Amino acid sequence: MIDDEIEEAINDQINAELYSAYIYLSMAADLGERGLDGFETWMHSQFIEETNHAMRLYQYLESRGGRVKLEEIEKPKIEWDSPLEIFKDAYEHEQYVTGRINDLADLAEEKNDRATLQMLQWFIDEQVEEEESAEEIVDKLEMIGDDSRGLMMLDKDLGQRPMASVFPVKAEEGEEE
Ligand code: FEO
């Protein structure tokens, strides 16, 4: 059985991950509207990854005898000024998510819930990657500036990102999504 406060915090995090998915899908739509198909593909993959993060928490909560309780998902922003603004927001959002995961780990530590702490280690590692990839694209877009050829080259590059696969409904422990 899982502690009530941890159950509530994991449910909040499921909502936050689904909101992240929603933001990235909205960013994908804005990028697609600009004709940046590669950027759009990159964001579609990110959307799937965030849904997978929510599923990973969902399955963990069930495995601990907790109850998944879904909440309303906040409406995301739908328009940005530029691809740079989009990726700056994505980077900022990932930093916010890292803070949330750290708070969750603090709570698990406080409650001496080692299983939750161990589960969260995957998210802690994942956040390092998520922040790094968003920051890298921000840096590239800043270098590119108004150079449309540079933007097209980056678009082509980002379009090579393999589409994330959907998290298996009952994945084995430790399996990558
Ligand atoms: Fe699920 Fe990008 O954090």
Side-chain angles (χ1 to χ4, degrees), residues 9 11-14 16 95-105:
N11 270 310
D12 277 353
Q13 191 58 29
I14 289 174
Q95 290 172 292
Y96 163 72
V97 173
T98 300
R100 290 191 58 108
I101 296 290
N102 289 340
D103 289 347
L104 200 46

Side-chain angles (χ1 to χ4, degrees), residues 7-84:
E7 179 185 79
E8 194 183 330
I10 291 178
N11 270 310
D12 277 353
Q13 191 58 29
I14 289 174
N15 183 271
E17 300 291 352
L18 291 173
Y19 175 58
S20 301
Y22 218 28
I23 291 176
Y24 290 130
L25 190 58
S26 189
M27 289 175 171
D30 188 306
L31 291 159
E33 182 71 13
R34 296 167 190 272
L36 295 169
D37 295 349
F39 279 90
E40 187 180 19
T41 297
W42 193 96
M43 278 297 179
H44 278 160
S45 191
Q46 196 61 28
F47 159 72
I48 294 171
E49 279 207 4
E50 297 300 347
T51 311
N52 291 345
H53 295 171
M55 282 308 296
R56 186 176 279 266
L57 292 164
Y58 173 114
Q59 289 177 348
Y60 173 74
L61 194 51
E62 280 199 335
S63 74
R64 292 288 310 278
R67 174 72 165 93
V68 171
K69 292 176 187 160
L70 299 179
E71 297 284 345
E72 191 174 5
I73 301 169
E74 196 184 323
K75 181 181 174 181
K77 185 171 169 176
I78 54 172
E79 266 180 330
W80 285 261
D81 290 341
S82 64
L84 178 59

